Amino acid sequence: MREILPALSRWYASGEPFGLATVVAVTRSAPRGPGAAMAVGPGDEVVGSVSGGCVEGAVFDLATEVVETGRAQLRTFCYSDEDAFAVGLTCGGEITLLVRPVSAATDPAFGEVAASVAEHRPVVVATVTDGPARRGSALAVWTDTGSGSLGNSGLDAAVTADARGELAQGATGLRHYGPRGERREDDVTVFLHSFAPPPRMLVFGAIDFAAAVARIGAFLGYLVTVCDARPVFADPRRFPDGAEVVVDWPHRYLRSTDTDERTVMCVLTHDPKFDVPLLEVALRSPAAYIGVMGSRRTHEDRLARLRETGLGETELARLRSPIGLDLGARTPEEVAVSIAAEIVALRWGGTGAPLADTTGTIHRPRPKSV
């Protein structure tokens, strides 16, 4: 959804209604998770994807239909291999989609939601998918306010409380309520779609490798900051648009900036005067990934220096050094791919092995915070 919001905002501002299909539930090996979206706008323009191509043709027809009728639909697509022309998933999974019309009349809060996502302000969109409440009705919830209604004040209050509880983690999924928001009842099904701010990637050391890492970090959806104490290297012109470039000592900058359990750090300085004080701070942070460039000899020397600062073995074990997966990478771009691959593997619990050499499910369970 985040990727297609610019197009949706353009359509919404023009006053043209559009059909929005959102994955609200998946089972088994589905290609896209809850929150994946596809939309059909004016002139049959299509953005987004809900299945990687398996059912998009049928979804196009559904999106066009809901715009014409003004009525949202809930549709489930399953595996189908008996008929070569049947609409179904080839992966053996199942996805359930909510397809609804969106316009200023049907969803007056949509513009503000889109602006919040663009500005990285946390927001949850709650949408009725099934039950006695009107399917497709939407309620937007921020930390201190809300907009829209699901059709009943009791239901609005219950959903608002749950949505605010999920804002910190950015959880997305279905919740069940009674018609007036009663707990432990399942008459009404509501999809809570959380938009947490994107995770951060902090790149220390403004070398050529840093420019490649910054590009692939932005491609993966991270908010990228590059930090170096040397102004001649920390030149914004050397880095992709959208990357923040900071001139400061890395350890001093890290002490003054926010990090959380989704933050990833790539330390590319491989100079003790920079990376030892930086890592002393980094290894005491909640960051999910701390990768450090350097040879194995450099790594051993670095560990000895870090032990002298008082860091313990549990903290030192968090270091990913030498940084990246063993891909045989040599160029800055290839090294950036190996670093990104290690980050993705850690994020989802992957092994880094070729899928052809593994067995069992390909897609692991989706963490709440992703």
Side-chain angles (χ1 to χ4, degrees), residues 76 85 135 175 179 298 316 347 355:
T76 297
F85 297 98
R135 178 176 290 157
R175 301 291 184 273
T298 299
L316 295 177
R347 183 182 190 186
L355 285 172

Side-chain angles (χ1 to χ4, degrees), residues 215-230:
R215 285 194 295 272
I216 204 165
F219 177 76
L220 291 177
Y222 287 92
L223 291 177
V224 179
T225 298
V226 179
C227 176
D228 198 303
R230 302 163 295 184

Side-chain angles (χ1 to χ4, degrees), residues 199-290:
R200 300 188 68 192
M201 172 182 280
L202 307 180
V203 182
F204 297 100
I207 62 177
D208 287 346
F209 288 92
V213 171
R215 285 194 295 272
I216 204 165
F219 177 76
L220 291 177
Y222 287 92
L223 291 177
V224 179
T225 298
V226 179
C227 176
D228 198 303
R230 302 163 295 184
V232 67
F233 295 113
D235 184 342
R237 293 173 296 182
R238 300 179 61 227
F239 298 95
D241 292 342
E244 179 187 29
V245 180
V246 174
V247 180
D248 200 351
W249 279 81
H251 70 282
R252 185 166 60 191
Y253 171 75
L254 184 56
R255 281 201 187 104
S256 66
T257 195
D258 292 331
T259 61
D260 60 24
E261 293 79 3
R262 300 187 300 155
T263 302
V264 301
M265 301 185 194
C266 302
V267 181
L268 311 180
T269 48
H270 54 84
D271 183 334
K273 70 175 178 290
F274 290 119
D275 58 21
V276 171
L278 168 63
L279 291 171
E280 185 180 359
V281 179
L283 291 170
R284 294 186 170 117
S285 77
Y289 172 90
I290 304 169

Side-chain angles (χ1 to χ4, degrees), residues 122-126 141-143 158-175 177 183 190-197 262 367-370:
V123 61
V124 177
V125 178
V141 180
W142 291 266
T143 55
V159 171
T160 296
D162 287 351
R164 287 186 176 143
E166 302 290 7
L167 271 176
Q169 291 187 330
T172 288
L174 295 172
R175 301 291 184 273
Y177 305 89
R183 305 291 180 172
V190 177
F191 180 63
L192 297 184
H193 192 176
S194 297
F195 294 92
R262 300 187 300 155
K368 274 192 169 185
S369 61
V370 172

